[in-house]
Amino acid sequence: GAGVSQSPSNKVTEKGKDVELRCDPISGHTALYWYRQSLGQGLEFLIYFQGNSAPDKSGLPSDRFSAERTGGSVSTLTIQRTQQEDSAVYLCASSLAGRPYNEQFFGPGTRLTVL
Amino acid sequence: GQSLEQPSEVTAVEGAIVQINCTYQTSGFYGLSWYQQHDGGAPTFLSYNALDGLEETGRFSSFLSRSDSYGYLLLQELQMKDSASYFCAVISEGFGNEKLTFGTGTRLTIIP
C-alpha cells in the first residue's frame, strides 16, 4: 500500500507569510507525528495526534505554529508569519497506535525555506 | 523530560564491525528504537528493544540495558551503503500514548 505522503515537497516563502504543510498518513494508522529537522541536526518533536486529538503539543516552538487533523487521517501543519529560523525539513510520521514497538513510518518531508 | 546522548560521528572500514552507543535519561521509559537516515532521505525503522538483551536482525543488532539506561546498535559486515545517520529514540509513556524522543544522531562514514 501507499506510504506516508507529504506536500509540497519544497516550499519557498517570504518572511512574514503563512504556510500550510500537508501530511497523508498510511491508511489505518491512528497516530500521527510532526517533526522538524534542521540541516545536519536531529529530529525535533513538534506535535502528536491520536485520532483527531493532540494529547501532546509540547513541541510546538511558538504560538505561530498550529496543527490539526481531520477524519483521523490528513493533517495540516500551519506556520503563521514565518521567520527565517523556521527554515527546515518538516517530517510527518504515522504509526499504528498501541503497537508496543511504535514503529513510525516517515514521509519524504517538506523542505521549507524562508527568505 | 527526556535526553539522549550518542556520538556525533563514527568512521569505520568496509567489512568491519561498528558499535554506536546511546545513553538516555527519561521518565516513563518504555523502549529504545533505532532509525537510519540516508542523506536527503526519510528516517527508516531498524530495531526496537523493550527488554534487556540483544535483538538481532540480519547484519544489525541492538542491545538494551534498562538498569544502565544504555543501548547500542551493532552493525556487522559493513557495506558502503551503511553510510548514513543513525538515531536512537526513546519511547516513553507507553501503550496508547507513545512518544518518541530522538537523539541528535550519529553520522556513520564507511571507508574502503
Side-chain angles (χ1 to χ4, degrees):
Chain A
V4 177
S5 61
Q6 293 185 245
S7 61
S9 56
N10 280 283
K11 177 71 176 180
V12 180
T13 190
E14 294 179 348
K15 178 181 173 181
K17 300 285 189 182
D18 298 351
V19 295
E20 281 191 356
L21 312 180
R22 177 187 169 103
C23 172
D24 282 271
I26 293 173
S27 177
H29 282 194
T30 55
L32 185 147
Y33 304 77
W34 283 98
Y35 298 90
R36 179 168 71 173
Q37 187 173 35
S38 300
L39 187 63
Q41 301 298 310
L43 282 81
E44 176 188 1
F45 170 80
L46 298 179
I47 189 169
Y48 156 62
F49 285 93
Q50 179 58 255
N52 291 335
S53 64
D56 191 346
K57 303 180 182 179
S58 61
L60 294 177
S62 74
D63 58 7
R64 296 186 296 105
F65 287 71
S66 63
E68 65 175 12
R69 189 180 185 194
T70 56
S73 180
V74 172
S75 177
T76 303
L77 177 69
T78 301
I79 309 173
Q80 296 178 310
R81 305 181 303 281
T82 52
Q83 303 294 312
Q84 289 182 332
E85 61 262 29
D86 299 334
S87 296
V89 175
Y90 289 80
L91 290 161
C92 173
S94 69
S95 70
L96 279 171
R99 299 186 80 179
Y101 54 84
N102 191 236
E103 177 181 355
Q104 295 193 4
F105 295 83
F106 283 82
T110 293
R111 182 176 299 277
L112 175 66
T113 302
V114 181
L115 301 176
Chain B
Q2 291 85 17
S3 68
L4 297 94
E5 287 191 16
Q6 52 181 131
S8 57
E9 295 183 351
V10 172
T11 300
V13 178
E14 187 178 16
I17 298 173
V18 70
Q19 177 174 313
I20 301 173
N21 298 320
C22 174
T23 57
Y24 59 87
Q25 289 186 319
T26 185
S27 57
F29 177 83
Y30 198 79
L32 186 72
S33 287
W34 288 90
Y35 284 76
Q36 178 192 61
Q37 185 179 30
H38 287 97
D39 285 347
T44 56
F45 175 84
L46 289 177
S47 69
Y48 168 80
N49 295 71
L51 303 175
D52 287 354
L54 192 68
E55 295 282 343
E56 299 181 56
T57 307
R59 295 188 297 114
F60 293 2
S61 302
S62 57
F63 173 83
L64 175 66
S65 169
R66 295 174 69 112
S67 60
D68 295 324
S69 298
Y70 164 75
Y72 65 72
L73 180 69
L74 189 74
L75 295 82
Q76 304 182 71
E77 301 173 17
L78 288 169
Q79 302 175 8
M80 298 302 291
K81 67 179 182 179
D82 297 329
S83 291
S85 291
Y86 292 84
F87 296 88
C88 59
V90 164
I91 300 162
S92 59
E93 302 190 17
F95 207 83
N97 192 30
E98 295 88 354
K99 173 180 177 179
L100 238 61
T101 303
F102 283 82
T104 52
T106 298
R107 187 172 186 85
L108 174 64
T109 302
I110 309 300
I111 57 176

